[in-house]
Amino acid sequence: MRFVFKFFLLLILLLILPAVALVALLNWAGTPLFNALLSSYLNAPAKVEKVETDWFLTRLIVEKLQIENPKGFPKGKLLEVDRLTLKISPKSYYLFQPYGELKIDRGYFHFIRRSDNATNVAVAFKLPYQKGKVSPLSFEVENLNARVKVETLERVTYNATGIFRGLGNNSEFKIAGSGNLQKRETVTDFIVYNWRLKDNPLLSKLAELLNQPQLRDISLSKIEGTVKTQEDWLIFAQRDTKAFVTNSVLFAVIYKGSKYNLKTKELDMELSLYIPIEVTVHITGTTDSPQVEILKLKVQGKVEEKLKDLKEKVINEILNPLQKLLPMPH
């Protein structure tokens, strides 16, 4: 009996008390410690308002996380999260595999790319990037609410809602998907609502070519589809991606199996536009040197004599500038 008492006393002294002291220390000094780590690892002003954890070290709560844009970029926020909650399953401690859940409440993210290809994300987080001459780019994600569940890196599920602003677009979005991060594969269902395309360079040029001024300002009521990432490929998978205007009128379709390589910029896409004319094209090559085959075209008047001229205009005046609008990978 005395041995059992001594054993439990030793257990309390060696394990329980230090763990209690650690939790107490983290809750007492966690906020300044977290802010010190942010200052050390980030190349941008950053702070949190409050950090706390539970007695079993299975939950971490961060409130009012703010990261400003780094030097050399416009003043303002790069990232802001009202509340970030990380839950860790006890299985993680004895299986040495990640099991847990990350929840983001009311997040904001602002991405900026300069003409030298430097981004506020790469500079702030000290990430490598390749210098080059590109078109400046900026977009924002507002009112982001997201949840990521991890059951080892081979089973990850996620969902998110928010508002996207930028690239001439303002829209609400909803995504849900799963993936195997070990194999760099994900499959994501998405719906985009109320996507207004106003003064978009591609649509403005298309409006000019087709003499259809209404294309300069289009409100898409809904876009829905499924995309798959497989290593460097972005693939429109499982179903056709469809875009609708008011009253569920079909505007455009990107067909299942179409794909784009984020690294090499290779294209293999088939798509149709139904308003104001019906045209189906197959695009191959790269965004730098696209090859376009017009598969179907319906316009008023004679069709055949317009095919060659329209194809040249699509390549020279619409597709070639596309590479300047696409975000460059780091």
Side-chain angles (χ1 to χ4, degrees):
M1 187 69 179
R2 182 176 297 177
F3 171 78
V4 174
F5 174 76
K6 288 183 177 181
F7 173 78
F8 278 106
L9 181 60
L10 183 63
L11 187 66
I12 291 173
L13 291 175
L14 295 181
L15 298 178
I16 298 178
L17 287 181
V20 171
L22 176 61
V23 172
L25 178 63
L26 288 175
N27 283 320
W28 174 67
T31 302
L33 178 61
F34 203 90
N35 282 324
L37 290 174
L38 287 176
S39 299
S40 175
Y41 285 99
L42 294 182
N43 189 29
K47 65 177 182 178
V48 296
E49 187 175 286
K50 184 179 180 181
V51 176
E52 63 180 31
T53 186
D54 63 5
W55 292 103
F56 300 100
L57 298 178
T58 58
R59 185 177 64 174
L60 177 70
I61 298 174
V62 177
E63 295 185 2
K64 301 294 183 182
L65 168 64
Q66 294 182 0
I67 301 175
E68 302 291 325
N69 280 323
K71 186 177 180 180
F73 292 85
K75 289 186 178 180
K77 293 182 177 64
L78 185 161
L79 178 70
E80 183 175 38
V81 178
D82 274 7
R83 186 181 179 94
L84 187 151
T85 304
L86 175 63
K87 296 180 181 179
I88 302 174
S89 171
K91 290 192 297 185
S92 299
Y93 295 119
Y94 60 84
L95 293 179
F96 300 102
Q97 290 276 5
Y99 290 86
E101 181 179 277
L102 176 67
K103 184 181 178 186
I104 296 173
D105 293 317
R106 296 175 297 280
Y108 168 83
F109 172 65
H110 187 189
F111 178 88
I112 302 174
R113 183 183 70 188
R114 298 189 315 216
S115 58
D116 63 354
N117 201 35
T119 68
N120 56 344
V121 174
V123 175
F125 288 87
K126 303 178 183 179
L127 301 175
Y129 66 91
Q130 185 176 0
K131 289 187 176 182
K133 190 174 182 180
V134 296
S135 297
L137 182 69
S138 175
F139 65 83
E140 299 170 272
V141 178
E142 302 175 355
N143 196 29
L144 175 66
N145 293 285
R147 188 187 300 266
V148 180
K149 186 176 182 181
V150 179
E151 294 181 331
T152 76
L153 295 179
E154 296 180 354
R155 290 194 297 170
V156 178
T157 57
Y158 48 87
N159 59 73
T161 60
I163 299 172
F164 179 89
R165 302 188 189 278
L167 306 178
N169 311 310
N170 297 317
S171 60
E172 304 166 40
F173 66 86
K174 180 179 181 180
I175 67 171
S178 60
N180 183 331
L181 301 188
Q182 292 278 29
K183 295 183 178 180
R184 296 174 60 195
E185 294 181 356
T186 64
V187 178
T188 305
D189 293 319
F190 69 89
I191 303 178
V192 178
Y193 299 99
N194 304 321
W195 190 3
R196 186 178 183 185
L197 301 172
K198 184 177 181 180
D199 298 325
N200 182 283
L202 291 177
L203 280 181
S204 295
K205 181 59 66 176
L206 191 61
E208 178 184 339
L209 292 174
L210 300 176
N211 193 27
Q212 299 288 337
Q214 68 268 31
L215 281 176
R216 297 181 185 275
D217 189 354
I218 290 181
S219 293
L220 300 178
S221 59
K222 184 173 69 171
I223 306 171
E224 58 180 348
T226 302
V227 291
K228 178 180 180 180
T229 61
Q230 190 170 35
E231 295 185 343
D232 295 321
W233 286 98
L234 179 67
I235 304 168
F236 293 83
Q238 298 183 2
R239 55 177 171 159
D240 296 338
T241 295
K242 297 181 179 181
F244 301 88
V245 293
T246 306
N247 297 324
S248 299
V249 176
L250 185 62
F251 174 74
V253 173
I254 301 176
Y255 293 103
K256 179 179 67 174
S258 296
K259 58 184 180 180
Y260 171 70
N261 192 295
L262 298 170
K263 186 175 182 180
T264 65
K265 298 187 285 186
E266 293 176 78
L267 289 163
D268 186 359
M269 303 182 70
E270 185 175 328
L271 55 95
S272 291
L273 178 70
Y274 291 92
I275 299 174
I277 64 172
E278 183 178 339
V279 58
T280 301
V281 298
H282 181 210
I283 308 171
T284 55
T286 69
T287 53
D288 296 317
S289 181
Q291 304 295 319
V292 180
E293 178 186 2
I294 298 178
L295 304 178
K296 183 178 181 181
L297 176 65
K298 287 186 178 181
V299 293
Q300 292 180 349
K302 295 182 179 180
V303 173
E304 293 297 330
E305 61 190 38
K306 297 181 180 181
L307 283 176
K308 184 177 179 181
D309 181 57
L310 179 59
K311 177 178 178 179
E312 291 177 353
K313 287 182 177 180
V314 168
I315 294 174
N316 296 328
E317 302 185 44
I318 296 180
L319 293 174
N320 286 342
L322 178 64
Q323 59 178 305
K324 300 178 180 179
L325 302 175
L326 292 172
M328 293 287 291
H330 297 305

